[in-house]
Amino acid sequence: MFYDLLLASINKVLMKLNFCGLSSGSSGNCYYLGNEFHGILIDAGIAATSIRKFLKNIGISMQTIMGVLITHNHTDHIRGLEVLSRKNTLPAFTTRNIWDSILTPKMKISRDCIREIPLQQKFHLAGFDVEAFLVCHDAPETIGFYICAGEKKITIVTDLGHICQTAAPYLQASNLLVIESNYDEQMLMNGKYPHYLKARIKSDQGHLGNHQASAFLADNISDNLSHICFAHLSKNNNTPETVLQTLKKTFSDRGIILNGHQQISVLNRNMPSEVIRLTE
Ligand SMILES: [Zn+2]
Ligand SMILES: [Zn+2]
């Protein structure tokens, strides 16, 4: 009995956890989270062939993927969903309202793949405890995901106009936070987008800007937050360098010094980012 418990705890300590942004941005989103045995995808906003190829590039077989979590119905989050469900019979998980917005007559998703999930209630998938929560964005409904893998908590929020009170506690509780940093305010305002589009992006139901993301992190940084991944960057109104400069300036203005253990990265728009390796 003692040795069983010892072995179980050693296995638990040694369980590896990998996260990879396969693609992140307004052209397409797909994120991978997995351990040695299984994995899940968050969003399927790129072609299914690209998902398979990108997974292979990071040494992951599609056979190990147990399901895909869907945040909302915008094309950059569901582009590959139909083919994934048809060819891979991959179960897809989202709320009733989001399914209602996805399942148009054109969208032919196998009935067997449709899984409806509640808000703010844990469900089990591939060894993870997953909880969906509402975020503010201009889709019929949009959710973020809080995923517990052993001791580690991962939160993913890719499209949100602001961080509302429902979402904030999930972001604050995470060890790995994937947070949108969509646009640089000056680049957006000086750019070529029409006025209505600029207003939409900046609104509380649009996207999170660099200053908003950095200010939230400055308010909430803790030793528990070991990995920050900036996600869903605009192609036209942002650059990875601008995101990191904004964070650096926000932190230095507030006298915040990082503890040296935090890893901060910006996810690639069109190809897999470096795999982040954690231990459960
Ligand atoms: Zn999006
Ligand atoms: Zn969206």
Side-chain angles (χ1 to χ4, degrees):
M1 180 69 181
F2 171 76
Y3 290 105
D4 285 350
L5 282 172
L6 185 66
L7 198 60
S9 66
I10 289 171
N11 277 338
K12 201 174 166 187
V13 167
L14 294 179
M15 184 78 92
K16 298 278 190 295
L17 189 64
N18 295 322
F19 170 81
C20 182
L22 300 179
S23 272
S24 181
S26 31
S27 311
N29 292 272
C30 186
Y31 307 85
Y32 164 82
L33 179 70
N35 55 32
E36 287 105 324
F37 307 108
H38 307 294
I40 57 174
L41 299 174
I42 299 93
D43 282 333
I46 53 176
T49 47
S50 301
I51 294 176
R52 275 191 288 275
K53 187 176 87 180
F54 289 165
L55 284 172
K56 200 173 164 201
N57 289 352
I58 60 164
I60 303 296
S61 157
M62 194 70 204
Q63 310 300 324
T64 65
I65 304 297
M66 309 297 284
V68 54
L69 310 174
I70 300 294
T71 59
H72 63 301
N73 76 339
H74 288 164
T75 312
D76 58 318
H77 298 262
I78 60 166
R79 188 176 283 110
L81 184 58
E82 195 178 323
V83 175
L84 275 189
S85 88
R86 221 175 38 232
K87 287 203 173 158
N88 298 85
T89 52
L90 195 66
F93 299 77
T94 196
T95 64
R96 158 75 67 90
N97 287 340
I98 297 174
W99 275 127
D100 285 348
S101 66
I102 289 175
L103 295 172
T104 58
K106 273 188 184 169
M107 181 65 98
K108 295 190 172 47
I109 292 182
S110 160
R111 282 270 141 203
D112 297 341
C113 295
I114 296 173
R115 304 281 196 282
E116 209 174 288
I117 58 169
L119 284 170
Q120 294 189 270
Q121 276 179 46
K122 277 185 187 156
F123 67 96
H124 203 64
L125 174 62
F128 303 127
D129 283 324
V130 182
E131 199 172 329
F133 57 92
L134 284 177
V135 296
C136 296
H137 184 55
D138 55 3
E141 185 164 285
T142 306
I143 52 178
F145 290 104
Y146 178 70
I147 303 166
C148 299
E151 300 290 306
K152 290 288 187 294
K153 324 287 182 207
I154 297 102
T155 303
I156 300 181
V157 281
T158 59
D159 293 54
L160 69 172
H162 71 285
I163 300 167
C164 62
Q165 284 184 359
T166 310
Y170 293 101
L171 279 70
Q172 286 157 345
S174 42
N175 304 113
L176 164 58
L177 174 60
V178 181
I179 183 171
E180 171 166 55
S181 198
N182 181 258
Y183 61 93
D184 172 71
E185 287 75 0
Q186 280 200 338
M187 287 175 80
L188 176 67
M189 293 324 284
N190 297 335
K192 289 182 182 161
Y193 284 6
H195 178 73
Y196 80 89
L197 188 53
K198 290 179 182 178
R200 192 222 124 195
I201 292 168
K202 271 172 67 83
S203 81
D204 269 1
Q205 302 292 314
H207 290 280
L208 209 62
N210 294 351
H211 284 96
Q212 288 170 290
S214 287
F216 178 84
L217 290 168
D219 288 341
N220 293 284
I221 195 81
S222 74
D223 285 348
N224 287 335
L225 182 59
S226 58
H227 293 77
I228 298 165
C229 296
F230 289 109
H232 209 287
L233 269 67
S234 162
K235 184 182 175 190
N236 300 312
N237 301 311
N238 214 352
T239 66
E241 295 74 26
T242 314
V243 172
L244 295 174
Q245 277 164 13
T246 306
L247 182 76
K248 201 173 161 191
K249 178 151 189 350
T250 308
F251 275 28
S252 89
D253 286 352
R254 299 217 197 166
I256 297 169
I257 298 162
L258 292 172
N259 66 12
H261 302 299
Q262 269 116 350
Q263 287 186 28
I264 298 167
S265 56
V266 180
L267 301 182
N268 293 330
R269 287 177 48 82
N270 299 313
M271 59 183 212
S273 298
E274 199 173 320
V275 177
I276 291 174
R277 300 181 196 282
L278 304 166
T279 307
E280 279 189 23

